[in-house]
Amino acid sequence: MKVRWTPEAQDDRAQIFDYIAADSPCAAVKMDETFSKSAARLADHPKLGRTGRIPGTREVIPHKSYCLVYEIEQEIAWVLALVHTARQWPPVAE
């Protein structure tokens, strides 16, 4: 199975990196590596995470402060979002 990041998830990841890097570039690199490793594990273990709060999704906690939301579509695990656990998920519709 392949793992792909959606543009929205890539944006989440970049924002997290920038936020952490403002205080500690080294910590930002380590956190990004944690995200990469967690997503890569989905290639061999696509059901690794728990059932997601949005129907059809699954969720993995790569770090106590972050939730990686993904869905399986044929032979691809699509990373949909990377969310801080303090944030409202799923987002409230306005």
Side-chain angles (χ1 to χ4, degrees):
M1 175 163 293
K2 295 181 182 181
V3 178
R4 299 285 184 254
W5 291 71
T6 64
E8 295 82 7
Q10 289 175 335
D11 287 346
D12 292 342
R13 188 174 175 176
Q15 288 176 15
I16 292 165
F17 185 92
D18 291 345
Y19 180 79
I20 296 171
D23 288 330
S24 174
C26 185
V29 169
K30 287 180 182 180
M31 184 64 74
D32 196 61
E33 288 172 352
T34 297
F35 297 151
S36 290
K37 288 176 185 176
S38 183
R41 290 185 8 208
L42 298 176
D44 293 325
H45 307 283
K47 300 279 185 167
L48 184 65
R50 66 182 182 217
T51 300
R53 290 169 268 187
I54 295 176
T57 67
R58 299 191 66 80
E59 299 175 3
V60 169
I61 306 297
H63 179 274
K64 66 181 181 175
S65 297
Y66 294 97
C67 177
L68 187 147
V69 182
Y70 69 100
E71 69 180 355
I72 305 299
E73 187 177 283
Q74 297 173 7
E75 288 298 311
I76 300 175
W78 285 100
V79 179
L80 305 174
L82 196 51
V83 183
H84 194 282
T85 54
R87 286 180 45 198
Q88 169 69 38
W89 183 260
V92 178
E94 294 182 19

